[in-house]
Amino acid sequence: MTRELAAAVLRRLGQAVLTALVASTLVWALLPLAPGDPVLRLMEARHILEPNDLQIANLRAELALDQPLPLQYANWLARAVRGDLSISYRTGRPVLEEISERLPATMMLLGTALAASILLSLVLALVAVAWRDRWPDRLILLYTQIGAAIPTFVFALLVLQYVIVGAGIGRVLPQGSLALVLLPALTVAVDRAAGWTQLLRASLIEAGNANHALVARARGASRWHVIWHHALPNGILPFLTAIGVSIGALIGGAPIIEEIFTWPGLGRYVLQALSARDYPVIQGFVLLSGLSYVAASLAVDLVAMMLYPRLRKSS
Amino acid sequence: MNKSILTALLVAALSTTAPLAEDAAKALRIVTSFDIESMNPAEDGFWMQEFGVAELLMKFQPDGTNQPWLLQSLVAQDDLTWIATVRNDVAFQNGRSLDADAVLAAIERQIAHSDGARGSVPEGTRFEKTGDFEITISTTAPWPELPGVLSNEGVFLIYDTAAVEAVGEDWRQLVGAGIYTGPYQVTALTPDRLVTERFDHYWRGEPALPGVTVNFVSDPNARILAVQNDEADIALYPPIAARPVVEATPGLHFNYGTPSTGGFLGFMNIKAAPFDDVQVRQALLKAIDYDEIANVVFGGVLEQATGLYNKSFPWALENYETDLEEAAALLDAAGWGLDGDVRRKDGEALSLNLVIYPQQPDLVPMSGAIQAQLRKLGIEVKITSVDDVYAALLGNEVDWDLGLSSEGTVSWGVASPFLNRYLATGGGRNFAGYANEEVQALIGELKVAVDTARRDAILQRIQTILVEEDPYVFALNIHQGRVVVNDAYAGYQPGFALYHVSYETGPSPAQ
Amino acid sequence: MNMLDRFASVARPAPPTHDTVHWRRLWPRLLRHRGFCIGLVLGLALLGLAAIGPFIAPYEPNWPDYAAALRAPEPAHWLGTDATGRDVLARILDGAHRSIGAAVFVLATIFAIGLVVGAVAGMAGGVVDTVLMRLVDVMMTLPGLVLAFAILGILGPGFFNLLLALVVADWAYYARLARSLTLSARTRPDVIAARMAGIGWGRILLGHILPGVALQLAVVATLGIGGMISAISGFSFLGLGVQPPYAEWGAMLAESRFYFPIAPWLLLVPAGSIFIAVLSANLIGNGLRDVLEAKGRT
């Protein structure tokens, strides 16, 4: 057990290193294609309305933007391996500090959303399978079709308009607290669970049609017994894989959700960085998202290995 | 989802913050778009000026002049010498009194630590103490812009340098240190907000409020909703687009007014057809309906442009005039005859590529209006949105005819920085290489002309050239301040030149 | 599973693996699939409207009419007008080109790149395969959306840049899929038989392997259209895609955000259009998959 575990961890660690390299090279490799002068954009972002030439020249020098790109990259890399992600062009503060201030809010939002999606899709899929082809199943199928066809951001706009503003529930300036995370997180979860429910329902049905399940049913086992002891243990693996992959989408979807709900997290910060041409922050975001994605995939791997001892050998 | 549980949780979350809100019930709560990053006076001090914490030696006025503020007077003794007399009734919030030494120390520290200050002071300028409250400023060339420079929030903020030097680089220690002279002093600065309280011994009188809290919320929608939800009293920088909803919402008011120092400007690409022809440029100025843009498209939230400058400034000419017939005649004379709905010359249709940029969403309705107005004359307009408007107008990648951009034309009463950058030969933003010899000479003269009447005459001549003889840049509107306020502050008018809070600012029901 | 899961939660099941298929035999089955038919009708109606809409619409999509601003739906403006008096119906129809057309274009591009890279890697093997697949691995280490954000953050917003970012973010998944489909096709009895009959790899590739691989990849691409529509409108909503004044459904939502409380049609109409478009793409994709899977089993 431990050896297989170690192998899985090692493999993901290798992936993490690769991810970090790709993420860091990517932004720098694209920079020569970037149009415009970030310094002027930054002056605007810092609300310096009419900068004089000295201010512009000194900011350029301060950010080392007057150096050749390969040198900038080398300096960045040298700092990055020591855990220093440089400073934000826009705010002049260390990127790592800026990111870690906003990360908890994003983690809270995404974590709650993930937990709620898993719970929701598990419950709905089990109900659908238990009452297969009866009205609960049809209702749930309708929900999955509709949910899959509404992009999360559109659903979020509807929730904002008709629940938060319309019914006056919630707060406009959320401070990232646990109680206030519920609405945005549930919004994401209700939308995301649609696809997962569909998937889990299908694989539960398939697993329920396997021979041992049919035998159990023929021996008079109850509907729930078959679902619980035969369908669920065998049908949950594709669901786990789907969750692992969707975590990347969850991270990538954070900016738009945080923007709509004005959630004080990393996603909105990245959008601000995007419009201010704050390359070190974009760099940091890509790096961090890549690493979180790897970490989440590792977590899913480990859960899958615990549930399915046979997987330990094949990997 | 169970709505009642959710509501209960939210109520619980809100109630824990309620006592705090009650304590500060009377303090003014502002939401703004920009973060104040630090207490470092040389880098971020200008914010303190906008929110009633810091002050300057002079103050820029809505009529375009600069009046003494922390100074008693500023007098030009001759072309090369100014005498600045410091008020003798001012004290820093920490109790230290303001005198010539304190002002000189602040000026020197700013020159040493602030690029904004260093870049604004001509070489060879000397600031010397000539009395306990008197400073003599001597220069090697005439420096007529000095009053404006002393009003500029990015240059000489006046603060207690001894208190600043004492904290080294740990700017956080300046919270509560009372280094400024304004009506409110900082009691907290977090990544989310600035909190200030009343400075009881403020020199102009007792501040009207117990304190001011400034929340940093970059999302414009959230700022307005914060006022609606009674989490703020005043929201700064609301989008014009928000006005109909704000006005339809009980308890919310969209206040605007106080014409400012700039506007959306149009730049014509004089290097290429059709604007290489002066008559076409003259025709464009007459084809734009400035009244419709300001008063119909933007419902009066933008001030109508009557010339390049805010008309309340003494040197402003009101020389813009919409006249479609004359515009058509000019186009005819230039060879662009009407062929059905379209004007053509040598078979080619008269078509303009209009460039806008997404950071200014108001340019979308603006460009739509221009498109509709010019079509009446048979001019087709294509709209291109570029991410970096300066790069697009300066470079060769975008084939532009008319570029729109939001610009200040007057920096705290000083007109020449704009003219130097946008109109002078070699100016960093002379997008189309405008080179009018007379304008060039006038800009040079303006730099050293001390006499106010002569300065006004120079600026008026430039405005005439830009309309009648060699048009290039023109104003589509004059910007005005705008805010969203609640009932308690329904009478609050947007501050001129970003002075959002004065000692008199207080609750003011609708007038 | 798809890398670029996008803003919509479109579940992407494993592709069917089976022999070559013939459209002539598939059509009757497809037409008996209720979801597919609903999706097809919806999709065709939408495409038809988008195609003829600009010719029949009584208004220009970008034309302001300040006297008719913020009109609720009425006979003169069936879907109302926006804040500058532009006709919402005209803008929805005009935006359909960008919202749906771009999604189809991006997926067609990805499909072509994926098919070529995957087939080449699968057929060539050896060093070529290793190099191509390492490249695919590298591309897949980052979540697709994050990759797209990075590209847009540096190249700047814009419709072309958005399409480029989406292609870059998603092609690797299709290439990997095409490779594994190619590899499994190589061991199919008919391919082995053809090989033993002395037919060259080139003809086998074109005649036996590619049609099946392409069809299965096309089904997966169809399943991706809904998500791609969501992605394009999502990025445009954030101001990173289609630029004003041009109409796109997500951009329409963004430009009217402030008016939702007093003009709900500005929220509901673009949102409904996105919903119908994604729904019909999903129904068509799921129908195709169901029918092909059922055939694969028999």
Side-chain angles (χ1 to χ4, degrees):
Chain A
M1 168 89 192
T2 39
R3 196 150 44 122
E4 287 86 5
L5 251 158
V9 172
L10 268 181
R11 200 187 40 183
R12 289 297 184 186
L13 268 181
Q15 196 191 333
V17 172
L18 183 68
T19 305
L21 267 174
V22 173
S24 68
T25 323
L26 178 84
V27 174
W28 288 98
L30 287 170
L31 272 184
L33 301 174
D37 182 353
V39 172
L40 295 177
R41 191 68 73 81
L42 288 168
M43 287 286 184
E44 223 167 274
R46 291 183 182 186
H47 201 62
I48 296 170
L49 300 176
E50 283 148 27
N52 57 46
D53 295 343
L54 185 71
Q55 279 171 299
I56 293 172
N58 279 353
L59 183 61
R60 199 184 305 283
E62 182 192 319
L63 301 174
L65 286 167
D66 50 353
Q67 292 175 3
L69 214 52
L71 195 64
Q72 291 185 39
Y73 178 39
N75 287 336
W76 182 88
L77 208 59
R79 282 196 297 268
V81 291
R82 294 196 300 264
D84 172 6
L85 291 181
S86 297
I87 58 161
S88 154
Y89 288 172
R90 190 165 62 94
T91 65
R93 295 180 58 216
V95 170
L96 203 60
E97 217 174 276
E98 295 265 44
I99 287 181
S100 43
E101 267 171 21
R102 290 163 176 89
L103 196 60
T106 298
M107 299 273 269
M108 188 192 287
L109 176 63
L110 297 187
T112 316
L114 184 65
S117 326
I118 293 175
L119 201 69
L120 191 64
S121 40
L122 260 177
V123 170
L124 288 179
L126 287 174
V127 168
V129 172
W131 283 278
R132 196 174 161 201
D133 291 333
R134 310 243 305 271
W135 67 265
D137 186 29
R138 288 181 195 285
L139 212 61
I140 288 167
L141 269 179
L142 187 68
Y143 151 73
T144 63
Q145 287 285 358
I146 293 175
I150 301 183
T152 312
F153 84 94
V154 173
F155 187 56
L157 284 173
L158 293 168
V159 168
L160 185 70
Q161 175 66 17
Y162 291 105
V163 180
I164 297 191
V165 176
I169 297 173
R171 248 172 86 104
V172 190
L173 300 182
Q175 305 294 319
S177 74
L178 194 59
L180 301 172
V181 80
L182 279 177
L183 259 180
L186 284 179
T187 305
V188 176
V190 167
D191 204 56
R192 188 151 287 280
W196 290 358
T197 306
Q198 222 169 22
L199 188 85
L200 186 58
R201 176 182 171 277
S203 57
L204 286 181
I205 289 173
E206 194 162 328
N209 286 337
N211 286 338
H212 55 92
L214 294 177
V215 169
R217 197 173 300 157
R219 281 186 185 156
S222 77
R223 180 166 58 177
W224 282 108
H225 179 91
V226 174
I227 292 174
W228 204 252
H229 293 279
H230 296 272
L232 194 59
N234 291 294
I236 208 163
L237 189 60
F239 180 59
L240 270 180
T241 321
I243 291 172
V245 173
S246 288
I247 285 170
L250 211 57
I251 296 170
I256 201 164
I257 291 305
E258 294 187 0
E259 169 69 22
I260 289 171
F261 288 108
T262 57
W263 189 251
L266 190 56
R268 271 180 78 215
Y269 179 65
V270 166
L271 288 179
Q272 290 165 16
L274 241 58
S275 65
R277 283 295 153 85
D278 197 343
Y279 300 131
V281 172
I282 299 172
Q283 180 88 68
F285 169 71
V286 175
L287 190 66
L288 200 81
S289 316
L291 292 179
S292 328
Y293 181 46
V294 175
S297 310
L298 175 63
V300 171
D301 284 359
L302 295 181
V303 172
M305 270 192 232
M306 277 191 289
L307 293 177
Y308 295 88
R310 66 189 152 87
L311 280 179
R312 288 178 212 151
K313 302 222 168 68
S314 64
S315 64
Chain B
M1 96 182 97
N2 188 327
K3 206 162 163 183
S4 59
I5 291 177
L6 190 65
T7 315
L9 270 171
L10 288 164
V11 167
L14 288 173
S15 59
T16 54
T17 59
L20 254 177
E22 229 161 79
D23 285 346
K26 281 183 184 163
L28 166 60
R29 299 157 304 167
I30 296 178
V31 266
T32 185
S33 156
F34 299 95
D35 298 8
I36 302 176
E37 296 294 337
S38 82
M39 290 293 294
N40 180 351
E43 295 255 321
D44 294 310
F46 68 92
W47 294 113
M48 302 299 169
Q49 196 272 153
E50 296 185 5
F51 294 110
V53 174
E55 294 180 297
L56 297 155
L57 294 175
M58 302 282 286
K59 190 160 192 153
F60 183 40
Q61 306 292 328
D63 65 3
T65 64
N66 291 289
Q67 300 299 332
W69 190 254
L70 289 178
L71 290 184
Q72 190 74 49
S73 64
L74 178 70
V75 182
Q77 205 169 40
D78 57 53
D79 276 4
L80 301 178
T81 317
W82 294 82
I83 305 290
T85 310
V86 180
R87 295 189 70 98
N88 60 11
D89 56 352
V90 180
F92 291 107
Q93 292 149 355
N94 60 16
R96 211 185 134 200
S97 55
L98 186 78
D99 54 18
D101 286 323
V103 170
L104 271 179
I107 288 175
E108 277 160 21
R109 193 179 181 285
Q110 280 293 94
I111 291 179
H113 289 91
S114 154
D115 294 335
R118 206 175 322 142
S120 305
V121 180
E123 233 163 278
T125 306
R126 286 186 320 187
F127 296 84
E128 284 165 317
K129 178 181 172 184
T130 46
D132 285 348
F133 291 92
E134 188 184 276
I135 294 166
T136 301
I137 302 152
S138 44
T139 56
T140 52
W143 192 17
E145 292 161 3
L146 176 67
V149 170
L150 297 185
S151 291
N152 185 330
E153 61 176 21
V155 184
F156 294 133
L157 282 172
I158 302 305
Y159 51 87
D160 181 359
T161 50
V164 172
E165 296 297 344
V167 303
E169 297 255 300
D170 188 6
W171 310 119
R172 273 169 299 185
Q173 287 188 43
L174 290 178
V175 170
I179 59 167
Y180 295 110
T181 59
Y184 295 94
Q185 50 187 328
V186 178
T187 54
L189 176 66
T190 68
D192 295 332
R193 70 181 62 175
L194 168 79
V195 185
T196 70
E197 65 174 26
R198 170 195 287 147
F199 168 40
D200 290 327
H201 306 291
Y202 180 59
W203 61 279
R204 293 196 51 149
E206 196 190 350
L209 294 162
V212 178
T213 303
V214 182
N215 274 288
F216 315 137
V217 179
S218 62
D219 183 81
N221 211 13
R223 288 199 295 276
I224 295 168
L225 291 171
V227 177
Q228 190 178 349
N229 246 19
D230 196 30
E231 294 166 44
D233 301 302
I234 299 176
L236 300 179
Y237 311 111
I240 295 176
R243 185 182 171 198
V245 176
V246 167
E247 289 183 342
T249 309
L252 284 192
H253 310 270
F254 192 96
N255 288 0
Y256 56 92
T258 335
S260 79
T261 55
F264 286 115
L265 303 187
F267 295 88
M268 294 180 263
N269 190 353
I270 56 172
K271 280 187 292 199
F275 286 137
D276 55 351
D277 186 334
V278 170
Q279 282 177 312
V280 181
R281 284 185 253 155
Q282 289 166 331
L284 182 75
L285 287 183
K286 296 206 179 292
I288 302 277
D289 187 342
Y290 308 93
D291 179 28
E292 186 191 57
I293 286 176
N295 298 317
V296 179
V297 179
F298 291 101
V301 179
L302 298 184
E303 163 95 346
Q304 179 182 343
T306 53
L308 182 61
Y309 294 107
N310 174 345
K311 65 182 177 213
S312 42
F313 294 173
W315 62 84
L317 285 186
E318 298 189 43
N319 58 351
Y320 285 9
E321 188 191 12
T322 307
D323 187 338
L324 293 187
E325 274 173 37
E326 202 173 329
L330 282 162
L331 289 172
D332 286 336
W336 293 97
L338 209 51
D339 169 22
D341 290 342
V342 189
R343 282 182 186 275
R344 288 181 196 282
K345 184 177 176 178
D346 307 329
E348 204 176 322
L350 183 49
S351 165
L352 299 178
N353 190 13
L354 177 64
V355 171
I356 61 174
Y357 54 108
Q359 295 84 8
Q360 289 287 353
D362 295 333
L363 284 177
V364 176
M366 174 78 81
S367 57
I370 294 173
Q371 192 179 41
Q373 290 171 3
L374 295 187
R375 186 189 277 192
K376 288 182 205 154
L377 272 175
I379 304 173
E380 186 197 3
V381 175
K382 291 190 195 108
I383 298 167
T384 306
S385 182
V386 298
D387 180 46
D388 188 324
V389 70
Y390 295 140
L393 299 186
L394 285 170
N396 297 318
E397 273 142 51
V398 180
D399 189 16
W400 63 282
D401 295 304
L402 182 59
L404 304 192
S405 165
S406 175
E407 303 292 343
T409 47
V410 177
S411 323
W412 288 273
V414 183
S416 42
F418 170 79
L419 299 173
N420 268 310
R421 183 167 280 167
Y422 289 84
L423 285 172
T425 310
R429 290 190 192 155
N430 189 339
F431 304 122
Y434 186 73
N436 180 294
E437 276 175 34
E438 190 182 350
V439 169
Q440 183 73 15
L442 289 167
I443 293 173
E445 191 189 343
L446 187 67
K447 234 176 182 170
V448 292
V450 178
D451 177 54
T452 312
R454 178 61 198 146
R455 294 179 65 79
D456 292 354
I458 293 172
L459 287 169
Q460 284 166 355
R461 177 69 191 132
I462 291 176
Q463 293 171 72
T464 304
I465 295 173
L466 282 176
V467 171
E468 290 171 20
E469 296 167 25
D470 192 4
Y472 163 56
V473 59
F474 62 100
L476 287 153
N477 71 286
I478 303 297
H479 287 337
Q480 303 194 90
R482 51 181 190 261
V483 287
V484 169
V485 292
N486 59 14
D487 282 335
Y489 283 85
Y492 177 90
Q493 281 303 306
F496 177 68
L498 307 174
Y499 304 130
H500 302 305
V501 177
S502 81
Y503 80 107
E504 288 169 308
T505 303
S508 49
Q511 288 144 2
Chain C
M1 212 53 49
N2 187 6
M3 231 183 111
L4 185 70
D5 191 319
R6 304 186 192 86
F7 302 118
S9 39
V10 181
R12 171 77 59 85
T17 50
H18 52 82
D19 302 345
T20 46
V21 260
H22 296 287
W23 281 107
R24 225 172 306 155
R25 269 181 273 152
L26 273 185
W27 259 119
R29 292 163 185 268
L30 280 172
L31 292 180
R32 278 198 303 273
H33 190 285
R34 198 168 46 154
F36 178 85
C37 291
I38 297 174
L40 193 68
V41 169
L42 274 178
L44 285 179
L46 216 53
L47 285 177
L49 273 177
I52 61 163
F55 300 105
I56 55 165
Y59 301 95
E60 287 178 51
N62 299 331
W63 199 251
D65 178 2
Y66 306 103
L70 291 178
R71 290 276 169 82
E74 59 182 21
H77 299 278
W78 290 0
L79 297 179
T81 65
D82 72 5
T84 53
R86 294 178 295 191
D87 185 63
V88 172
L89 177 60
R91 288 180 73 69
I92 286 287
L93 292 177
D94 186 49
H97 298 111
R98 297 187 188 88
S99 305
I100 305 175
V104 174
F105 172 79
V106 168
L107 279 163
T109 311
I110 290 174
F111 168 81
I113 297 175
L115 186 64
V116 170
V117 172
V120 165
M123 293 305 287
V127 183
V128 177
D129 186 25
T130 310
V131 169
L132 286 176
M133 284 306 111
R134 284 297 84 80
L135 182 65
V136 164
D137 287 343
V138 163
M139 294 306 297
M140 291 181 75
T141 55
L142 284 174
L145 276 176
V146 172
L147 195 61
F149 270 115
I151 293 171
L152 287 169
I154 290 160
L155 299 187
F159 196 31
F160 177 79
N161 289 352
L162 172 60
L163 302 189
L164 184 76
L166 291 173
V167 169
V168 173
D170 217 16
W171 70 273
Y173 166 77
Y174 286 78
R176 175 175 285 179
L177 189 61
R179 174 180 173 271
S180 67
L181 289 171
T182 308
L183 285 182
S184 69
R186 281 179 67 161
T187 58
R188 244 170 30 208
D190 63 313
V191 173
I192 293 170
R195 186 71 191 135
M196 285 166 74
I199 300 172
W201 274 123
R203 276 185 59 198
I204 292 179
L205 179 66
L206 289 179
H208 294 259
I209 296 181
L210 264 191
V213 173
L215 179 70
Q216 290 169 52
L217 204 61
V219 171
V220 177
T222 311
L223 283 163
I225 288 182
M228 197 56 84
I229 294 172
S230 309
I232 289 168
S233 55
F235 278 108
S236 292
F237 175 81
L238 290 174
L240 298 171
V242 176
Q243 295 295 310
Y246 301 102
E248 191 280 339
W249 298 342
M252 286 175 71
L253 286 171
E255 72 197 10
S256 294
R257 252 186 104 179
F258 289 109
Y259 305 102
F260 293 167
I262 54 168
W265 61 91
L266 293 176
L267 165 62
L268 296 175
V269 172
S273 307
I274 295 173
F275 170 69
I276 292 171
V278 177
L279 182 70
S280 75
N282 286 353
L283 287 173
I284 293 173
N286 287 335
L288 270 175
R289 185 202 52 206
D290 288 350
V291 169
L292 284 171
E293 247 172 21
K295 185 181 179 299
R297 282 211 193 90
T298 51

